[in-house]
Amino acid sequence: MVPHLVTALTGPINELEQRILESTPVIERWFRLEWMEHTPPFYTSVDVRNAGFKLAPVDTNLFPGGWNHLTPEMIPLAVQAAMAAIEKICPEAKSLLLVPENVRDTFYLSNLATLQKIFYMAGLNVRLGSLSNEITAPTKIDLPDGSQVTLEPLQRGKRRLGLKNFDPCTIVLNTDLSAGVPGILEDLHEQYLLPPLHAGWPTRRKSTHFKAYEEVSKRFGKLLGMDPWLINPLFNQCGEVDFSSDAGLECLRSNTDALLTKVRRKYKEYGINEKPFVVVKADNGTGGMGIMTVRDVKDIDNLTPKARARMGTGQAGQTVTEVIIQEGVLTHERINSAVAEPVVYMMDRYVVGGFYRIHAERGEDENLNAPGSSFVPLAFEQSAQLPQPGVKPGASVPNRFYMYGVIGRLAMLAASYELEATDPEAENLD
């Protein structure tokens, strides 16, 4: 049941794949040494785009939903990874509190049910504590597959957070805090809060993440003797933009123009005949909102009032004032006739699975995280961690997925650099 890929199976992507497969022992040792120095995020999902000539992450999520898209074959990998993560943090843990987004959408709740199952199978008593004021008593919600989830009201003590008759050692957030950090989550001194509050969008910036990723990709490129651009989307950033007026739009124009020029130069160097484009998106969390594709700087001048309003509003109705301008990476992958991009799921430092996000109405240069998208599981016949030596690039699905897993882990490593750099409690060693 491996999805049929009509990826361009010739050209530089295969040279890149070949280089990665030949270097597997070197790569795995490098990751092992990195994880001795850096703590991986608790869980991560990474959107990867495969342009045929380039393979790069375009988004890294530190509060991933969508766990319900993992196939039953992937769940044991996730359980093992959850065990490893919990043992490292709180080996004596018995109870885990999962704090979700404030949404009642059954699709999202099915994701919670899968997470609850993973943690339960990892040996933990798991309950769901809701931040919503509407949840005042345990509330059962039926899911499409016949299962149920129960949301319960959170109870806050002086230093701890829990539920009625439930005092967990570990709290896992499955909300990216787009609307701000609720006071009930602050100043917890006796419990592990994962991911930490500064991983949420009130603090986090995509530009900080991709700066860390740029550093990781340069070091990885040096390790493999390759151009880091082949795995790294170039970017610029604008800090003060007001889409409702012209304020900051000159910064957007000049940075977009500079980035398009840089990408054109790279395309020329590699003999790529595609038209470069950039993607402008909110620097702090979008949930698929406030995103536009720009092929020419004139596109910015020609924004309609409707497009400006759309660009000016981010997740949870937040006003967008900071944007990242990211090199657009085409996706040449298709499932049937729909454009597809792989999403890699990780827990602790392990790749546990993933799926293709597909969108029949979007082009290969457009954002696929939009209404109308659907999901096809990546069917790992073997673990994504196990490439097959001696099999030529492009011919083997596990090999291709191993490559996605490497890119996913590079983005996850960048996230660990990023979280260390932005940790408000870290001592300033400079």
Side-chain angles (χ1 to χ4, degrees), residues 113-129:
T114 304
L115 268 178
Q116 195 166 9
K117 178 180 167 187
I118 289 167
F119 293 131
Y120 176 80
M121 290 167 76
L124 294 163
N125 182 12
V126 190
R127 283 161 69 175
L128 304 178

Side-chain angles (χ1 to χ4, degrees), residues 219-338:
R219 291 182 49 227
F220 187 79
K222 195 173 176 185
L223 180 78
L224 266 60
M226 56 174 252
D227 181 353
W229 177 75
L230 295 171
I231 56 168
N232 177 39
L234 304 174
F235 75 95
N236 280 334
Q237 190 253 355
C238 282
E240 287 297 327
V241 178
D242 181 355
F243 283 99
S244 63
S245 70
D246 277 344
L249 286 193
E250 190 44 53
C251 169
L252 187 56
R253 281 188 207 96
S254 60
N255 276 290
T256 298
D257 197 35
L259 189 57
L260 281 168
T261 302
K262 223 185 255 187
V263 178
R264 277 187 208 105
R265 210 174 290 139
K266 275 295 185 186
Y267 276 26
K268 193 175 176 188
E269 180 187 333
Y270 282 93
I272 295 159
N273 294 321
E274 306 283 356
K275 187 174 171 60
F277 66 101
V278 299
V279 177
V280 178
K281 49 190 174 182
D283 204 4
N284 58 331
T286 58
M289 300 170 71
I291 297 177
M292 68 176 175
T293 300
V294 178
R295 294 169 193 82
D296 189 297
V297 81
K298 290 196 207 89
D299 296 350
I300 294 166
D301 299 323
N302 298 335
L303 279 178
T304 64
K306 190 178 173 186
R308 282 179 179 238
R310 196 176 63 242
M311 284 302 298
T313 308
Q315 212 165 346
Q318 302 290 308
T319 302
V320 173
T321 57
E322 300 170 70
V323 296
I324 181 172
I325 306 144
Q326 192 176 60
E327 174 190 351
V329 182
L330 295 165
T331 179
H332 277 339
E333 304 225 28
R334 297 277 189 290
I335 291 182
N336 300 324
S337 60

Side-chain angles (χ1 to χ4, degrees), residues 377-399:
L378 292 179
F380 292 100
E381 290 180 333
Q382 289 93 19
S383 163
Q385 302 282 75
L386 300 175
Q388 295 178 324
V391 176
K392 68 179 185 181
S396 157
V397 171
N399 279 355

Side-chain angles (χ1 to χ4, degrees), residues 2-3 5 356 378-380 384 397-406:
V2 173
L5 307 182
Y356 279 102
L378 292 179
F380 292 100
V397 171
N399 279 355
R400 177 60 46 92
F401 291 165
Y402 175 73
M403 193 165 69
Y404 294 156
V406 168

